Amino acid sequence: MELRVTKYGEPILRKKGKEVAVFDKELDNFASDMVDTMREAEGIGLAAQQVGRAIQMCVIELIPVNGGDEFNHKYDGSFVPLDLIMPLVVINPKIIPLSELETPYEEGCLSFPDIHGEVFRPDHIKVEFQDLQGHLHTMECEGLLSKCFQHEYDHLHGVLYIDRMKKSELAPLQMEINRLKRVTKQNIKKKKG
Ligand code: ZN
């Protein structure tokens, strides 16, 4: 089932997610709704805050084109073709940066329709997380997969990609961002009124 994607200006996007402690059928259903929503919106990642719940859970679906492994990833310590493990449900993630070097990537966000900007983040990371059964996993990765994990991880802590943009990157986007916030607030008012 598709869920409504929250937009910039909704307070939920600034809420830190609560750690997931109960791995039950309800969580399972919610994860599957999140995957449906991400696919419908043609996104590569979606955090729980983006569908109205502040918990430590996100979904990611990213498969390299042309069958190449452009993310140099290791899942639980070894190479596993990504199409076998995607979509990935990521619960209670912790991120360990493995490189000091931060590289730029042009990011977008489903909560900021049509607003793209360059964000610098570490390229090489390791993520520890749980799956829907509560089992622990690790993902070591580079490139877009690494950026995607970090973008979603930020959402789970109420941090948004605009917070990480350089001033010079943010300045030309500011009007657009303010307009989005205004429209979102008007829509919230309408619903309440
Ligand atoms: Zn986002």
Side-chain angles (χ1 to χ4, degrees):
M1 186 181 75
E2 203 190 331
L3 305 169
R4 185 181 73 83
V5 176
T6 54
K7 298 289 175 338
Y8 181 57
E10 295 188 53
I12 184 85
L13 286 173
R14 286 301 187 185
K15 270 203 182 156
K16 184 178 190 279
K18 265 175 80 176
E19 201 156 309
V20 174
V22 181
F23 298 82
D24 59 3
K25 185 76 191 138
E26 193 276 327
L27 193 72
D28 221 80
N29 292 338
F30 182 57
S32 132
D33 287 346
M34 283 180 71
V35 169
D36 290 347
T37 308
M38 170 176 66
R39 286 181 170 165
E40 194 59 40
E42 295 181 9
I44 57 174
L46 185 74
Q49 279 84 344
Q50 291 181 280
V51 284
R53 259 174 92 173
I55 60 170
Q56 293 285 322
M57 175 157 111
C58 61
V59 292
I60 288 175
E61 184 161 49
L62 189 55
I63 295 164
V65 283
N66 309 323
D69 178 33
E70 57 195 271
F71 316 131
N72 262 332
H73 72 277
K74 269 189 197 155
Y75 179 68
D76 291 341
S78 57
F79 172 79
V80 178
L82 286 176
D83 50 1
L84 294 184
I85 52 171
M86 296 286 171
L88 209 54
V89 179
V90 175
I91 300 172
N92 300 330
K94 307 272 178 293
I95 290 188
I96 304 138
L98 297 178
S99 64
E100 302 250 310
L101 179 74
E102 296 200 337
T103 54
Y105 195 87
E106 181 95 357
E107 295 187 14
C109 180
L110 294 177
S111 297
F112 291 77
D114 301 321
I115 297 175
H116 301 266
E118 200 175 66
V119 181
F120 281 77
R121 301 181 191 270
D123 190 52
H124 189 192
I125 60 161
K126 185 176 179 176
V127 193
E128 295 173 353
F129 61 96
Q130 285 169 282
D131 64 18
L132 280 168
Q133 283 76 46
H135 298 140
L136 272 172
H137 296 279
T138 62
M139 177 71 90
E140 193 184 321
C141 56
E142 297 175 353
L144 180 54
L145 184 56
S146 153
K147 306 291 187 180
C148 183
F149 266 108
Q150 294 177 74
H151 179 115
E152 299 314 325
Y153 175 87
D154 273 353
H155 271 300
L156 302 184
H157 295 265
V159 176
L160 301 169
Y161 72 145
I162 54 169
D163 306 341
R164 297 205 181 268
M165 284 181 198
K166 292 187 171 156
K167 270 193 184 143
S168 57
E169 186 70 20
L170 196 58
L173 299 173
Q174 200 61 61
M175 261 176 58
E176 196 75 29
I177 293 169
N178 292 346
R179 189 168 60 195
L180 171 62
K181 195 172 188 171
R182 251 191 341 264
V183 171
T184 303
K185 298 237 147 135
Q186 282 165 3
N187 287 342
I188 295 173
K189 252 193 209 155
K190 260 186 230 157
K191 249 174 244 144
K192 280 186 184 157

